[in-house]
Amino acid sequence: MKLNFKKLILSALPVIGLAAVTSCQTAGQNESTTNNDGAETITILQTADIHGQLMPHQEMFVENGEFVFKERGGVANIQTLFKQVKSENPEGTVIVDGGDLIQGSAVAALSEGDAIAPVIKAMEYDFLIPGNWEVIFGSQKMRSVLASYGKPVVCANIYDEATSTMLYPPYIIKEMKGVKLGFISYNDPEVPVRQNPVFSKGLVFKGLEDNMQPLIKELKEEKGVDILFLVTHLGISKQIYLADQPENEGVDFILGNDTHERIRKPLKRKYAQVVEPGGFGSFVGRLDLEVKDGKVVDQRYELIDVDPKVYPADPVVQKIVDEQMAPYKEQISRVLGYTTTPLYRYLVVENALDNMITDAVRWKTGADIAISNGFRFGTPIVPDESGKAPITYSDVWNMLPVNENVKTGKATGQQIKNWMEQELHNVFAEKPLERFGGWVVRFSGMELTFKANAPKGERVQSITVGGKPLDLKKEYTMAACRRTGEPDHVLCRMPNAKDPKVLDYTVHDVIEEYLKTNGTVSPKIEGRAKALDLESPVLSQLPNVDYTFR
């Protein structure tokens, strides 16, 4: 179906949707957890990529070809959902989080994750895994925060560099109602490259090939596991790839995380089924399995909206959330400016939010081109009936999770073209294992057309800078965020920049000054990046898969 986004993108006027009433009777409710034919019901609940979002927030949906915004999420609301579902099947429910918990909000950043831990400790999780952003405050802080959850943390490929020992148990086994469930977990081996290199100093991230097959064999043959899950923080493309590989035989489900995809129907692949439950705590994935004699004889899956009107906040968890947020409330509520257009991510190629960020950096530095990573996260900022929405200090942390200094440098047109070819390959590589990081890099001062499905090195069709065609021999000034730990000559993953300089102000300083100067902004999608062979807007990186982001 061709989506009718033209009016929205040109005017960027929000469609504020009333919260849809989601039935409290989710899959399996009021059914006996032991069926007449002797099958037992096993329930798996999964959250992922909460990114420090402790409170309900605006969330974006696609309905009838339009973007609509509704209030969703809140960890205390998630706890209510957990308790409700668990009460239906108290002896047969497992609850897991797939990582990226302690980064992505102001409270998470200002407390270095410490504010998140007491909340998680009070919730119903059976175990958790680390995501690619858990290293953001350094490896020692990651260990400390995750230990303070007071719950099992599972991961089969993170090692202590000094001792070469595995940091966490590689798997967990849960036996319930006579059914043995095994969960093997993996984080992204590319964490030291995806994140600022200094974040993961002291840790080694190994590839899945290092031990996946032996662990599958151990759990299936030696431990007698009936149903085997991989809980992976790899991104949907790589998770689908895994499910098609013979090395994965024996795994029943891949509980995927990282890319915030909203899988509403399990993706059935050659060897396993793949799910992923969105992001920011807006959704909980629920998988109900009917198991008889150690075999799955039936299944149901639902992606449940965490609607605060349906799942009111659990008072115990909400009290802890309020206590943890209290020291930061005044600071993070400070209003920096206003927007008359909704600001959100979710768009793979270009979005108004990052147009504002890169415009601000170019405005401050005077560079020819300003660039920013293709981040996937950040909850929407949506104007109300007045036509405006405040942009707070809290929002700036949602937009930019690392407050690094601004860095400038020079690069030739040829370097810029080569760099853009690599960045596009990271996003659209035909081979899933070559996909890397987030979405298309964002920029100001430059326009790009490309073909996403072209071969590597042939995707860029045109680049203009300041309205003129890119001169491959000319040097251009560029500005971006510093990535602590990378070589001085690297600028936003582009190597060999000349005259690199780290400036004496941060990207947050720039955003605050820009908003103070402008007061009210109205960022729009302007066609700075255009995929000539994809229907716009691009909401997912899943070609040739029966899946639609909504």
Side-chain angles (χ1 to χ4, degrees):
M1 178 183 73
K2 186 173 182 179
L3 300 180
N4 179 24
F5 293 94
K6 185 175 180 182
K7 180 179 178 182
L8 177 90
I9 290 174
L10 291 177
S11 67
L13 293 176
V15 180
I16 310 296
L18 295 176
V21 177
T22 303
S23 170
C24 289
Q25 290 192 350
T26 53
Q29 187 173 353
N30 296 330
E31 296 178 12
S32 170
T33 59
T34 302
N35 295 329
N36 292 334
D37 62 0
E40 297 284 0
T41 300
I42 300 296
T43 301
I44 311 295
L45 297 178
Q46 179 193 5
T47 57
D49 300 283
I50 290 176
H51 285 293
Q53 299 299 327
L54 298 177
M55 297 293 292
H57 50 79
Q58 290 294 308
E59 186 55 272
M60 190 193 83
F61 296 81
V62 181
E63 295 181 358
N64 300 317
E66 298 284 346
F67 290 161
V68 299
F69 300 91
K70 306 175 185 181
E71 187 179 53
R72 292 292 183 266
V75 290
N77 309 81
I78 292 173
Q79 173 71 351
T80 296
L81 189 157
F82 284 171
K83 290 169 73 173
Q84 176 183 301
V85 174
K86 197 167 183 178
S87 70
E88 302 165 19
N89 190 12
E91 303 303 320
T93 299
V94 180
I95 305 178
V96 56
D97 180 79
D100 281 4
L101 257 176
I102 65 173
Q103 166 274 345
S105 72
V107 170
L110 297 173
S111 70
E112 293 194 339
D114 285 338
I116 310 297
V119 179
I120 298 305
K121 188 172 184 178
M123 295 179 71
E124 298 284 325
Y125 288 106
D126 289 287
F127 72 98
L128 304 96
I129 79 168
N132 61 289
W133 278 103
E134 252 67 43
V135 298
I136 186 170
F137 309 117
S139 61
Q140 291 301 321
K141 191 66 177 182
M142 180 192 82
R143 298 183 200 205
S144 165
V145 173
L146 270 60
S148 62
Y149 290 164
K151 300 179 187 296
V153 176
V154 180
C155 191
N157 67 328
I158 303 181
Y159 291 76
D160 180 276
E161 186 176 32
T163 64
S164 298
T165 56
M166 194 178 286
L167 210 60
Y168 301 107
Y171 60 76
I172 188 170
I173 295 173
K174 304 284 287 186
E175 186 164 2
M176 43 186 53
K177 300 167 75 171
V179 181
K180 223 175 200 183
L181 309 171
F183 301 84
I184 307 172
S185 163
Y186 289 96
N187 202 341
D188 191 343
E190 295 176 323
V191 165
V193 183
R194 288 182 65 178
Q195 317 309 124
N196 294 15
V198 73
F199 293 168
S200 56
K201 186 177 181 181
L203 302 177
V204 174
F205 290 75
K206 295 189 177 182
L208 279 64
E209 69 279 1
D210 190 66
N211 61 11
M212 187 177 73
Q213 279 188 292
L215 287 174
I216 292 172
K217 183 176 180 180
E218 179 179 341
L219 266 67
K220 294 294 286 187
E221 297 181 11
E222 297 177 26
K223 303 296 185 182
V225 162
D226 297 308
I227 305 171
L228 183 55
F229 300 83
L230 289 185
V231 188
T232 56
H233 199 97
L234 302 172
I236 196 65
S237 297
K238 293 178 181 177
Q239 285 150 180
I240 289 175
Y241 172 84
L242 265 184
D244 285 336
Q245 302 311 303
E247 294 84 357
N248 200 39
E249 189 170 7
V251 173
D252 296 282
F253 291 89
I254 296 178
L255 304 180
N257 310 274
D258 181 51
T259 25
H260 310 175
E261 298 287 359
R262 302 170 184 178
I263 307 297
R264 299 178 184 274
K265 180 177 68 174
L267 303 175
K268 296 185 178 182
R269 308 301 296 184
K270 188 171 183 179
Y271 294 99
Q273 300 181 52
V274 182
V275 296
E276 191 170 311
F280 315 116
S282 300
F283 309 92
V284 173
R286 175 174 179 169
L287 175 65
D288 287 288
L289 303 174
E290 303 301 328
V291 184
K292 184 176 181 180
D293 299 326
K295 303 292 184 184
V296 176
V297 296
D298 196 11
Q299 69 178 62
R300 298 175 298 279
Y301 185 79
E302 181 180 7
L303 190 62
I304 307 171
D305 279 19
V306 183
D307 183 346
K309 293 182 179 178
V310 177
Y311 304 103
D314 176 84
V316 173
V317 172
Q318 189 62 55
K319 182 174 183 293
I320 298 171
V321 169
D322 293 342
E323 290 170 350
Q324 294 302 312
M325 294 186 69
Y328 310 101
K329 190 170 182 179
E330 182 177 350
Q331 181 181 5
I332 68 178
S333 299
R334 185 164 54 92
V335 175
L336 308 180
Y338 295 86
T339 178
T340 63
T341 56
L343 302 179
Y344 50 86
R345 287 194 165 120
Y346 294 116
L347 304 181
V348 174
V349 176
E350 179 190 356
N351 67 62
L353 171 57
D354 286 300
N355 285 353
M356 182 192 76
I357 292 169
T358 52
D359 282 352
V361 173
R362 192 161 67 95
W363 166 82
K364 177 66 175 176
T365 63
D368 296 320
I369 303 167
I371 50 182
S372 178
N373 283 332
F375 292 130
R376 286 190 176 99
F377 48 79
T379 53
I381 304 170
V382 184
D384 59 18
E385 292 79 4
S386 72
K388 294 201 301 186
I391 301 173
T392 66
Y393 184 62
S394 178
D395 292 322
V396 174
W397 279 107
N398 289 346
M399 301 173 191
L400 295 162
V402 184
N403 189 20
E404 291 273 24
N405 284 64
V406 175
K407 182 178 181 180
T408 60
K410 298 177 183 178
T412 65
Q414 186 67 61
Q415 283 178 276
I416 293 169
K417 183 176 184 293
N418 294 345
W419 166 70
M420 279 308 314
E421 288 284 8
Q422 182 59 53
E423 288 294 323
L424 291 170
H425 187 71
N426 291 344
V427 180
F428 298 108
E430 182 180 0
K431 297 178 181 179
L433 294 186
E434 294 180 9
R435 295 192 180 185
F436 171 85
W439 290 325
V440 175
V441 67
R442 318 301 190 178
F443 39 80
S444 175
M446 183 172 87
E447 292 184 350
L448 163 76
T449 65
F450 66 95
K451 290 185 177 179
N453 298 310
K456 182 179 182 180
E458 300 177 20
R459 290 187 172 88
V460 171
Q461 302 300 299
S462 70
I463 297 177
T464 62
V465 178
K468 298 179 180 179
L470 184 74
D471 184 338
L472 298 182
K473 295 182 180 180
K474 180 180 176 179
E475 279 190 347
Y476 296 88
T477 56
M478 303 183 73
C481 293
R482 179 191 185 196
R483 282 163 45 95
T484 303
E486 70 184 2
D488 288 343
H489 65 82
V490 176
L491 192 66
C492 198
R493 295 202 296 254
M494 185 184 69
N496 302 315
K498 287 180 59 179
D499 302 329
K501 294 179 182 177
V502 178
L503 305 182
D504 61 358
Y505 49 82
T506 71
V507 65
H508 285 196
D509 295 335
V510 171
I511 299 299
E512 185 164 350
E513 184 180 348
Y514 181 79
L515 291 172
K516 183 178 180 180
T517 301
N518 289 277
T520 299
V521 296
S522 304
K524 296 178 177 64
I525 293 173
E526 301 172 346
R528 297 182 186 185
K530 294 180 182 177
L532 302 179
D533 55 348
L534 297 176
E535 187 175 356
S536 181
V538 184
L539 292 166
S540 177
Q541 293 167 265
L542 283 182
N544 307 315
V545 175
D546 181 20
Y547 163 72
T548 302
F549 182 97
R550 57 186 176 87

